[in-house]
Amino acid sequence: QVQLVESGGGLVQAGDSLSISCAASGRTFSSYAMGWFRQAPGKEREFVAAITRLGLSTQYADSVRGRFTISRDNAKNMLYLQMNSLKPEDTAVYYCAASIKNTITTMTSTSSFASWGQGTQVTVSS
């Protein structure tokens, strides 16, 4: 099983940019499709973005498409989420997750992911 640790969260102002990262260890990173999810207080965990094993396909939630970019570096066992034009409604704990599936259309569901990190807080002030 792969172990995941997120980093890079923080407090930013609306309109700012922020990049968060996820370091993977354990099993071969390139064996997993990866995703980012987020959870705001009192709300369910929601899909943000996903990327297939070799990075050939990506998918985004409508709320972040055009502002966020997911990427990975399999040589470094790293997953990234570049967030631009941040809004207060982007405030949440952001989690990275790993899936043995590799079909991008299934990646919007938390049930497709077996391994999760502990999360990193992103707060966007207005």
Side-chain angles (χ1 to χ4, degrees), residues 90-109:
D90 294 319
T91 296
V93 177
Y94 283 71
Y95 298 90
C96 67
S99 174
I100 60 173
K101 301 179 182 180
N102 201 42
T103 304
I104 197 68
T105 54
T106 69
M107 296 293 132
T108 60
S109 172

Side-chain angles (χ1 to χ4, degrees), residues 1-124:
Q1 194 164 352
V2 63
Q3 289 77 47
L4 305 171
V5 178
E6 302 93 337
S7 63
L11 172 63
V12 297
Q13 294 186 331
D16 284 353
S17 297
L18 187 68
S19 180
I20 57 177
S21 303
C22 174
S25 61
R27 298 285 298 273
T28 305
F29 182 59
S30 59
S31 299
Y32 297 90
M34 299 296 296
W36 285 102
F37 288 76
R38 66 187 182 187
Q39 188 166 17
K43 295 187 177 181
E44 293 187 353
R45 192 167 299 189
E46 65 174 4
F47 169 74
V48 175
I51 189 167
T52 51
R53 293 170 186 163
L54 299 183
L56 298 179
S57 295
T58 58
Q59 187 170 7
Y60 297 92
D62 290 342
S63 59
V64 307
R65 187 175 291 112
R67 299 188 298 123
F68 290 12
T69 301
I70 187 172
S71 62
R72 66 190 296 163
D73 185 337
N74 286 348
K76 296 182 178 179
N77 292 351
M78 294 293 295
L79 177 72
Y80 306 99
L81 186 67
Q82 175 66 41
M83 303 181 288
N84 298 328
S85 302
L86 281 161
K87 305 175 181 180
E89 51 264 44
D90 294 319
T91 296
V93 177
Y94 283 71
Y95 298 90
C96 67
S99 174
I100 60 173
K101 301 179 182 180
N102 201 42
T103 304
I104 197 68
T105 54
T106 69
M107 296 293 132
T108 60
S109 172
T110 57
S111 63
S112 294
F113 295 85
S115 300
W116 294 82
Q118 84 290 346
T120 187
Q121 176 71 47
V122 173
T123 303
V124 185

